[in-house]
Amino acid sequence: MLHTREWGSGDRIAVLVHGIMADSRCWWRVGPALAERGYRVVAVDLPGHGDSPRAPEYTPELYASSVLESVPAEPDVAIGHSLGGLTLAVAVERLRPGRAIYCDPAFRLPRRGGADLGAMLAAAKDQTADTVRQFHPGWSAEECALEVEMLARWDPATALALGSFAGTDFTPEPMVPSLVQLADPSDLVPPEAAAALVAKGFEVRVVKGAEHTIHRHLFEDFMTGLDGWI
């Protein structure tokens, strides 16, 4: 079972799945905002992140099955960011949320550079608040400090494992109403991929000026971008 964090006690359930290097604390503004809208919000720490167990190897199926074991079935909405979007994509058929929201999801990592990306992310383990601010100039001081705290509880092996599934397409079928919210620009979902998602039946929305971590960079725009979905 994964470590989880909760906000609210409403009749509706929202499940939140974070991206790589983060943990459930990254939803510190999203969770309470959803709770105010009548949700009981359950956010997980994925394996190798936060207070959840470490694993001998990290795969999309491990992430997905761990989430399925740890959150209520058939939540009203499920939101996954980046690696969490990939995780939700693998889990969605079994989780069966009422609505699925994929925030700048890692549906497909580039075949070339996948291993290099993992090594680069693993090296980020030693960042300080000052170096975080250099990479994320739009973040608040609170977000930068939180990043350092989350990195301290993160297993870099999760990043090194990325190369193992680089090039694999994890794009799900939109078997439930599905929104893809994108950064501007998105390094993970380029325009041609976004157009293909629309053709498959996804709604795609771009949050203007947002970096990859939309909910941490431009929180209010992130929430506005979910209008009609939450």
Side-chain angles (χ1 to χ4, degrees):
M1 295 287 288
L2 299 177
H3 178 265
T4 60
R5 188 178 309 272
E6 296 194 16
W7 298 268
S9 56
D11 294 333
R12 296 184 293 167
I13 295 176
V15 169
L16 307 181
V17 189
H18 64 81
I20 198 162
M21 300 192 294
D23 60 48
S24 57
R25 288 174 290 176
C26 76
W27 303 107
W28 65 278
R29 286 185 289 183
V30 178
L34 292 176
E36 289 178 0
R37 295 176 183 232
Y39 286 94
R40 172 190 164 206
V41 185
V42 181
V44 300
D45 290 352
L46 288 173
H49 297 75
D51 291 327
S52 284
R54 276 41 184 161
E57 61 178 353
Y58 296 100
T59 66
E61 176 55 33
L62 170 69
Y63 295 133
S65 60
S66 297
V67 169
L68 291 165
E69 292 172 355
S70 306
V71 304
E74 299 184 2
D76 294 272
V77 63
I79 304 175
H81 169 250
S82 192
L83 177 64
L86 185 158
T87 299
L88 178 56
V90 177
V92 68
E93 184 173 6
R94 290 167 283 174
L95 183 62
R96 286 287 174 178
R99 296 172 302 286
I101 299 172
Y102 303 93
C103 301
D104 219 33
F107 288 160
R108 174 181 282 182
L109 294 172
R111 188 176 298 279
R112 289 185 301 172
D116 293 339
L117 173 63
M120 180 186 72
L121 292 175
K125 175 79 172 177
D126 298 324
Q127 286 189 87
T128 65
D130 287 338
T131 56
V132 170
R133 189 172 295 109
Q134 292 174 19
F135 284 105
H136 304 282
W139 282 12
S140 67
E142 190 168 6
E143 287 288 0
C144 293
L146 175 60
E147 182 78 350
V148 174
E149 293 175 11
M150 292 192 296
L151 286 170
R153 291 185 170 272
W154 166 62
D155 182 358
T158 61
L160 297 173
L162 291 175
S164 301
F165 50 93
T168 304
D169 188 355
F170 292 98
T171 305
E173 293 298 322
M175 57 193 61
V176 300
S178 300
L179 169 68
V180 176
Q181 187 191 67
L182 297 180
D184 178 30
S186 172
D187 293 331
L188 292 176
V189 185
E192 61 274 17
L197 290 171
V198 172
K200 289 187 71 168
F202 290 86
E203 181 172 348
V204 175
R205 297 179 180 178
V206 176
V207 179
K208 295 297 183 183
E211 65 155 74
H212 174 58
T213 49
I214 304 169
H215 60 296
R216 301 178 66 188
H217 178 211
L218 299 176
F219 166 70
E220 292 182 359
D221 293 337
F222 167 82
M223 295 299 297
T224 299
L226 302 185
D227 283 350
W229 286 84
I230 57 174

